[in-house]
Amino acid sequence: MSKTIVIDPVTRIEGHAKISIFLDDAGQVEDARFHVVEYRGFEKFCEGRPMWEMAGITARICGICPVSHLLASAKTGDKILAVKIPLAAEKLRRLMNLAQITQSHALSFFHLSSPDFLLGWDSDPAQRNVFGLIASDPELARSGIRLRQFGQTIIELLGAKKIHAAWSVPGGVRSPLSEEGKQWISDRLPEAYETANNALNLFKGLLDRFDTEVKTFGQFDSLFMGLVGEDGIWEHYDGHIRFTDSQGNIVADNLKEEDYKDFIGESVEKWSYLKFPYYKPLGYPQGIYRVGPLARLNICSRFGTPKADQELQEYRDRAGGVATSSFFYHYARLVEILACLEHIERLINDPDILSNHTRAKAGINNLEAVGVSEAPRGTLFHHYNVDENGLIKKVNLIIATGNNNLAMNQTVAQIAKHYVKGNAMTEGMLNRVEAGIRCYDPCLSCSTHAAGQMPLHIQLFGVNGDLLDEVCRD
């Protein structure tokens, strides 16, 4: 008799979801699904709004990723205005995005994932959280909090707010960085570097203990997508789109965001509000690809900064070349934090970021545009159609978490097949299934545009639909 285990809600991620695990007649896992169960409809209720408001509106999709939407929307607006923004504005936008990646990766690693690494997969869930980490290793917890504060404060120095800063606009940005802000960043960079290096050394020291997790937490072949710059250098704001495979071969390169419909399809399933993007030439679901830090480190040739390039080489040596295990997302985030700090250091020493020439002004010159940027979780597309007055007629958003949807589902199934045995559901088993999702650090408020907190509910169903077991977590 087959049955189904449902994990609802999934914890320590942003948004609402549940996991269903389906067992066959022999009690072995046959399949697993990651359901995103909330819907807000941002794409629809933006219709009729002025294009000028879109950066501010879409930034409110999420409190974790506001900068990502702010920048992608502003870049789309630049194209509708048909302007080239001032060089100072581009560098300031880059600075804010680097700060956003830093603070978001710090949140993911220190607050959401490190309790599993340091307190144990099977530890008491009441203690397996950031508060348990504070009790166990207060210095590590404190340094993680301060690293996130470093990134958030840079965002505040630029945009006057840590969250939902209405700063980047079509045509550029509203204001430059102040001399005092530049000095604040410079003074705190050494501490940020120390925290990043300590975290890297900690994780690398633990990695040998996680051989099973490396092999089972999303270890499979897929494509990888992201932005790269000239000569394939790591990119987070501009550049072109590249796809590579699990052997490191370039599958497609020099792709333009305006042509995304030629290479990205969006499928839907009746059991999830989150769409299933796929690489169109391979079809659905064979065109599975991953985005985010793991993908960015796989597709790029180098970071172009000395410390991060050294870590990238070691990362690739440990991964055996191309990292195909989603467990390496955690490692990739730490390498990217180090790269972000090096790029931040370069930018604050660039005189352009103090320039007052930060905005180009124009009217509506194009009626359709696509903007792209790298959010912490991966490649983010904004596609707008407007009328002659700049009122939004249609919006399509392809969110980083959505790009990873097929991969998240495959990861859940792989973990469940390894750890879920028989009728009994243990806490450690369930946490490992959830941890597979946390590898991707999904932001479900962005991906389906969901509001609220993230609970957990797992149910086990038999072949005839009978509920055989159930675990709930508030």
Side-chain angles (χ1 to χ4, degrees):
M1 179 175 66
S2 72
K3 49 194 172 182
T4 304
I5 300 171
V6 179
I7 304 177
D8 181 10
V10 180
T11 58
R12 279 186 279 143
I13 65 172
E14 201 290 319
H16 286 69
K18 71 176 182 179
I19 294 171
S20 297
I21 303 170
F22 301 92
L23 307 183
D24 61 20
D25 291 337
Q28 300 298 309
V29 173
E30 184 175 52
D31 195 11
R33 292 175 178 172
F34 177 62
H35 311 263
V36 178
V37 298
E38 294 290 335
Y39 178 77
R40 283 168 76 192
F42 256 84
E43 292 168 326
K44 191 65 180 176
F45 69 64
C46 286
E47 293 177 7
R49 306 300 302 180
M51 180 276 297
W52 304 97
E53 296 180 357
M54 287 300 290
I57 290 174
T58 56
R60 269 107 180 136
I61 288 175
C62 177
I64 303 297
C65 311
V67 169
S68 305
H69 291 287
L70 184 73
L71 296 180
S73 182
K75 289 184 70 179
T76 311
D78 298 342
K79 293 182 177 181
I80 290 174
L81 300 182
V83 297
K84 180 175 176 61
I85 69 171
L87 184 60
E90 179 186 332
K91 292 178 179 179
L92 288 161
R93 284 182 182 179
R94 285 180 173 276
L95 180 59
M96 181 176 271
N97 202 37
L98 292 165
Q100 162 72 357
I101 294 171
T102 299
Q103 69 88 15
S104 181
H105 283 1
L107 172 65
S108 175
F109 181 80
F110 291 97
H111 296 187
L112 305 182
S113 296
S114 66
D116 289 327
F117 309 146
L118 300 176
L119 305 180
W121 310 101
D122 302 294
S123 58
D124 182 355
Q127 302 299 320
R128 194 179 59 235
N129 50 48
V130 68
F131 300 106
L133 181 65
I134 291 171
S136 173
D137 193 337
E139 187 54 40
L140 178 68
R142 186 182 299 112
S143 64
I145 291 169
R146 285 184 61 82
L147 181 59
R148 186 172 186 231
Q149 180 190 46
F150 173 76
Q152 286 183 306
T153 302
I154 294 175
I155 294 169
E156 184 178 27
L157 290 170
L158 291 167
K161 295 173 68 177
K162 293 179 180 177
I163 301 175
H164 306 319
W167 172 76
S168 185
V169 293
V173 301
R174 295 185 186 275
S175 57
L177 181 68
S178 68
E179 188 67 59
E180 294 78 12
K182 173 184 173 180
Q183 190 60 48
W184 186 94
I185 298 168
S186 180
D187 290 345
R188 285 157 181 80
L189 265 170
E191 180 187 355
Y193 274 126
E194 182 180 8
T195 299
N197 287 323
N198 288 343
L200 273 164
N201 291 333
L202 171 67
F203 189 79
K204 287 187 291 187
L206 295 171
L207 197 54
D208 290 341
R209 289 169 36 190
F210 296 131
D211 184 61
T212 301
E213 286 77 12
V214 169
K215 293 177 179 177
T216 58
F217 280 32
Q219 171 76 285
F220 51 78
D221 286 348
S222 74
L223 299 181
F224 302 94
M225 181 187 79
L227 294 174
V228 293
E230 189 175 353
D231 297 326
I233 198 166
W234 180 83
E235 182 57 80
H236 63 97
Y237 172 79
D238 209 350
H240 62 267
I241 297 164
R242 170 181 286 180
F243 283 85
T244 62
D245 64 17
S246 293
Q247 288 71 49
N249 301 308
I250 296 176
V251 174
D253 205 4
N254 296 305
L255 299 174
K256 298 179 180 180
E257 59 268 28
E258 290 85 357
D259 302 324
Y260 77 93
K261 289 186 177 180
D262 293 338
F263 53 86
I264 294 179
E266 296 182 84
S267 187
V268 295
E269 298 285 357
K270 63 183 180 181
W271 41 267
S272 180
Y273 280 116
L274 181 54
K275 294 177 184 177
F276 291 78
Y278 60 96
Y279 181 60
K280 224 170 185 177
L282 294 183
Y284 178 81
Q286 293 79 13
I288 179 174
Y289 62 86
R290 283 176 273 187
V291 298
L294 183 82
R296 289 190 289 259
L297 267 62
N298 280 339
I299 67 171
C300 76
S301 59
R302 66 192 190 284
F303 279 104
T305 57
K307 296 183 180 72
D309 277 338
Q310 183 176 344
E311 288 293 341
L312 178 61
Q313 186 57 56
E314 182 177 350
Y315 169 92
R316 288 174 171 168
D317 290 343
R318 288 174 176 268
V322 177
T324 58
S325 171
S326 293
F327 191 76
F328 267 71
Y329 267 101
H330 303 299
Y331 191 174
R333 284 188 190 95
L334 297 176
V335 179
E336 279 202 327
I337 288 174
L338 185 60
C340 286
L341 297 179
E342 290 185 284
H343 281 287
I344 287 171
E345 184 173 15
R346 285 182 177 179
L347 280 170
I348 64 168
N349 291 311
D350 189 321
D352 282 336
I353 64 168
L354 301 177
S355 169
N356 287 314
H357 181 44
T358 60
R359 188 172 180 181
K361 297 183 179 181
I364 304 300
N365 289 303
N366 291 314
L367 301 184
E368 183 177 8
V370 180
V372 65
S373 183
E374 286 289 336
R377 290 152 187 84
T379 317
L380 169 64
F381 295 85
H382 278 223
H383 181 187
Y384 304 159
N385 291 87
V386 303
D387 66 14
E388 291 80 0
N389 298 311
L391 298 181
I392 295 291
K393 295 172 63 177
K394 186 177 180 180
V395 173
N396 188 41
L397 307 176
I398 302 182
I399 310 301
T401 294
N403 284 315
N404 277 330
N405 198 12
L406 277 171
M408 289 190 293
N409 276 272
Q410 189 160 328
T411 296
V412 167
Q414 185 181 48
I415 295 171
K417 287 176 181 178
H418 185 83
Y419 288 101
V420 178
K421 306 296 181 185
N423 299 339
M425 295 189 295
T426 66
E427 173 60 36
M429 174 195 78
L430 302 180
N431 185 46
R432 285 173 174 84
V433 174
E434 290 184 79
I437 295 299
R438 285 194 289 269
C439 291
Y440 298 87
D441 189 27
C443 185
L444 306 179
S445 292
C446 291
S447 60
T448 63
H449 326 308
Q453 297 179 349
M454 187 72 226
L456 170 68
H457 182 198
I458 305 179
Q459 293 176 313
L460 179 65
F461 293 98
V463 136
N464 57 5
D466 292 342
L467 180 64
L468 302 178
D469 197 4
E470 186 172 23
V471 176
C472 297
R473 187 182 295 157
D474 294 327

